[in-house]
Amino acid sequence: MTKLRTGHTFLAFMIAGTVFVVVASWGILTSAHEAAAGTALDAVWATTEVIRGWFALSLVIAMFGAYFVARDFAQGTAARSIVMGGGRRAYVISKLASGAVIGAIGAGIGAALSLPSAWLLLLTESLSPSVDHTGWMVLLGCAVVNFAAGIWGVCLGLLVRNTIASLVTVFGLCLVVEPGVQAIAPAAGRLLMTNAMGSLYLDPRSGLLEVPQASIAVLGWLLVLGIGGYLVTLKKDLT
């Protein structure tokens, strides 16, 4: 927990993620406005799309979670922590707990900023935000996804244990590998982590799992990767 408060790395990640989400949401509204050819956008749809855009914060949260763990191995901190702090099991548990905190903070930031960002962006279209039941469910889904991303990133960091490789792994899975598998083999791709996450924030893409099945898939991935990270930490050299 102390490491999260040390320095400004976590803050930098969150600021970068916030800017990324806002710019991406603005781009979606601008494109929709151009496609509408002068017709006013539906306020409920536009509000929901801006809220849904905060799922993208999960990429930055997961990248920081992976970085948070991998840099320990790169700097030799992991070995010292394990020797002095209670062993490998305690180390893994502490990192997973930190991942939950990272995810909770990220989820809180996304939830807190989703409605204000919708209000500001809809002003550019001369609209007032309007949130229906679906919008609230999307907001809840984004919060769940962002929370899970913190733990997911930590699990990947425990498995990869290299700072640059862990960041590339998260980025590649989110933006290249899993979308590619979904396009090539939808039946298998929808079971992957980020595609299952899409179901939770009600992504309008076709071919995704229903929310209950997607929830099981996300929990299953966290369990498998968490156990994998523990076993790797338990058995492999720490350098």
Side-chain angles (χ1 to χ4, degrees):
M1 298 301 103
T2 301
K3 288 182 179 181
L4 286 176
R5 301 194 302 268
T6 303
H8 301 92
T9 306
F10 187 37
L11 178 62
F13 268 82
M14 291 299 100
I15 291 174
T18 299
V19 172
F20 169 66
V21 170
V22 171
V23 171
S25 296
W26 193 4
I28 290 173
L29 291 185
T30 301
S31 298
H33 177 78
E34 293 175 352
T39 304
L41 297 178
D42 180 74
V44 173
W45 174 86
T47 304
T48 301
E49 285 303 301
V50 174
I51 293 172
R52 184 180 284 116
W54 285 93
F55 87 89
L57 197 61
S58 63
L59 170 62
V60 178
I61 294 169
M63 289 178 73
F64 178 78
Y67 167 84
F68 181 71
V69 175
R71 69 176 177 179
D72 270 10
F73 291 96
Q75 296 173 349
T77 309
R80 294 192 296 271
S81 298
I82 288 171
V83 171
M84 301 174 62
R88 300 185 186 221
R89 179 179 298 177
Y91 178 80
V92 172
I93 291 173
S94 71
K95 288 302 180 184
L96 292 175
S98 298
V101 172
I102 292 167
I105 294 173
I109 291 173
L113 294 180
S114 57
L115 293 180
S117 67
W119 179 75
L120 289 172
L121 291 175
L122 263 65
L123 280 180
T124 66
E125 301 294 331
S126 301
L127 297 173
S128 297
S130 180
V131 187
D132 62 359
H133 176 73
T134 300
W136 290 115
M137 291 299 98
V138 169
L139 191 153
L140 177 61
C142 289
V144 171
V145 165
N146 289 333
F147 172 73
I151 303 173
W152 183 51
V154 164
C155 291
L156 292 175
L158 289 169
L159 287 167
V160 178
R161 307 204 310 176
N162 177 279
T163 307
I164 301 300
S166 65
L167 295 175
V168 172
T169 298
V170 174
F171 190 85
L173 286 173
C174 290
L175 298 182
V176 180
V177 176
E178 297 197 1
V181 174
Q182 173 71 10
I184 296 170
R190 64 182 184 170
L191 298 173
L192 299 178
M193 184 67 169
T194 59
N195 293 325
M197 285 178 167
S199 299
L200 301 184
Y201 56 80
L202 306 184
D203 192 316
R205 289 179 297 164
S206 62
L208 298 179
L209 295 170
E210 296 296 326
V211 172
Q213 291 87 347
S215 301
I216 294 173
V218 170
L219 289 173
W221 277 111
L222 294 179
L223 180 62
V224 169
L225 294 174
I227 293 173
Y230 169 71
L231 293 176
V232 168
T233 306
L234 192 68
K235 297 179 180 299
K236 292 189 68 174
D237 292 338
L238 299 175
T239 55

